[in-house]
Amino acid sequence: MDESQALAAFMALGQEHRLRALRALVKAGPDGMASGALAAAIGVSASTISFHLKELQQAGLIGSRRAGRSIIYSVAYPILSGLVEFLMTDCCQGHPEVCAPALAALSACGPNTKDVDHA
């Protein structure tokens, strides 16, 4: 991920409802969520969530697929991982204890996450 991509992602995440939506989608996992369920989960209207999902999609943070009459949104895990990597590159400067809390938080995903297709 380059700096311009990171800036676009951060601009998209710099709004309360979009940040909540992305966090809800991360929690939902690779199966994602329908836009209506996502709107209910974060407490916004259907028209409001559509606007925010469009912004997240333009930043590359989420993708969508049609399932019957619903559109299912899910996190673009490679992009989200790239954003985390962008932030953590050159971390620690020889002091691994500085990065330990971030690494511990990421390890909460569990050992089976590499077996899951997040694309």
Side-chain angles (χ1 to χ4, degrees):
M1 172 168 291
D2 64 25
E3 190 171 283
S4 65
Q5 292 169 311
L7 285 169
F10 286 123
M11 285 179 17
L13 292 172
Q15 200 283 337
E16 174 185 7
H17 298 309
R18 290 193 287 271
L19 181 59
R20 286 182 184 173
L22 185 72
R23 292 188 75 202
L25 289 172
V26 166
K27 194 175 201 179
D31 291 338
M33 294 177 77
S35 59
L38 186 54
I42 66 168
V44 298
S45 69
S47 60
T48 298
I49 196 65
S50 293
F51 169 78
H52 293 302
L53 291 171
K54 183 179 114 188
E55 293 294 316
L56 290 169
Q57 212 163 10
Q58 286 179 340
L61 292 167
I62 65 170
S64 63
R65 69 183 185 283
R66 185 164 287 286
R69 294 191 302 169
S70 297
I71 297 177
I72 307 298
Y73 291 89
S74 57
V75 173
Y77 287 99
I79 301 300
L80 187 58
S81 295
L83 184 59
V84 172
E85 182 180 354
F86 176 84
L87 288 174
M88 300 302 291
T89 297
D90 303 323
C91 179
C92 307
Q93 298 294 315
H95 303 281
E97 69 278 3
V98 173
C99 295
L103 295 174
L106 291 174
S107 69
C109 293
N112 295 327
T113 57
K114 54 185 153 184
D115 297 332
V116 177
D117 180 16
H118 290 205

